[in-house]
Amino acid sequence: MKILRSILFALFVLVGTTKAQTPHYDTTSIIITRAIEKQLFDLNSVPYMQPLVQTINAASNARFYDQAYVPKKVDKPYFRFSVNAMYGFVRDDQREYTPALPVEENPLSVILPKYVTLDLVHQKLIVTDTAGLAVAIVKRLFKRGLEDSSVTIPSKAATIFGSKQGVVTINTDGLVKILSTDPEFATYYALMDSTSKARIVSAIRGLPDALTLPPGQNMNSVFAAVPQLEIGSLFGTELLLRYIPPVKFDTSVGYFSFFGVALKHSLSQYWNDTSFNVAIQAGYQGTKLTNTVGVTQAELAATADFFDVNIHASKSFPGIVDVYTGFDYTSVHIRSSYSYVLPREVQFKLGMIGLDSTGTIITDPKQGYYADDVIQVSLNDFHDSSLKWTFGLRREFGPVALSVDYAVAKFNVFGAGLSFRF
């Protein structure tokens, strides 16, 4: 019995040592919610963002070529400036994903040794990570809550392209019932004194009744335009350059910069047939995106590396049209950092902020409201690679050329370019 009481103390010591400092919120509830929110974000960020990663990869690596001809040598360098536009439709399967909730799969008997050690000398238990222990217990309650519908998570949620708002619901009364009736918890709960019971119940009931998953932007298509310069040629090799300086597109995109470089080498120069040309090309592109999101001023920073290797061919029908096609291997690696505090709706449900009679948000500590100022950071790496087939048509009008093409990959893209050679 003494050992069980010691375990109880270890399990709920955080509740006893971090009692609410204001009448508006429970400190333990906030600590738990911060941890759950971060884990919820980290757990779902990859499937939420993956369609955009595929799209960026497809669009950014499009329009590298519209002909395979590169002269073996020239008397003086030539320059070809073009503006290339890419347009793609979002597929239905890119609009939703299956969300996940951070839960603890292990029972209390397995959880406890991770956060509590036994002091044999003084015959007592020592909590090594009180916050981690509290979060693990609530995540275990979530696991049990999913089984009896005290906690629910939608079967589908919106990706960044979607429109459906996903919400995790939390019936705190149901979690308290699990605590007092489920055999896994009830033995410990029954041994608690009335003060400890009140504190743990207060911490659980202080949790928000809902956690929102990242909302979709309801996008049906993606459009991009890239200026580029091609310079040739040396030993049948042509240099391509792309660049967009840091500019702010809009409040949704933020500040965006882009640069790229590629080398194309003619293979057909070795058999001297200018009616049918074949070339290989390798390119690298880099991007940087920074943005401030929402009323909580969340900071997003992302950098990306794109690689493209392709072999393409073109056939000229003089005075009519040129036909070109190619096969690409493309890959992208995106590193993102997201710095944020608790969402405003969660802060309101926790009692960290309030509303006055006019609906104005109250964050005045003198009135017992302390808006969240603990910045959490989520780091993510996104990878994607794909094979792509492109087919297009090109028509020259003197120094000007117009081309259109269609690329088939994980995200299909229409492309068009207008170039001027000088």
Side-chain angles (χ1 to χ4, degrees), residues 98 149 169 216 225 277 304:
T98 302
S149 299
T169 65
N277 294 278

Side-chain angles (χ1 to χ4, degrees), residues 161-219:
F161 289 147
S163 59
K164 182 184 295 184
Q165 178 67 66
V167 178
V168 175
T169 65
I170 303 170
N171 181 341
T172 56
D173 287 337
L175 296 185
V176 170
K177 183 179 180 181
I178 293 172
L179 187 68
S180 60
T181 62
D182 188 289
E184 184 179 333
F185 295 90
T187 301
Y188 301 105
Y189 184 76
L191 293 172
M192 297 176 69
D193 58 49
S194 58
T195 300
S196 298
K197 286 182 178 179
R199 288 176 177 174
I200 189 62
V201 168
S202 174
I204 293 174
R205 285 193 170 138
L207 297 174
D209 58 9
L211 299 173
T212 57
L213 293 162
Q217 301 299 311
N218 195 23
M219 299 171 65

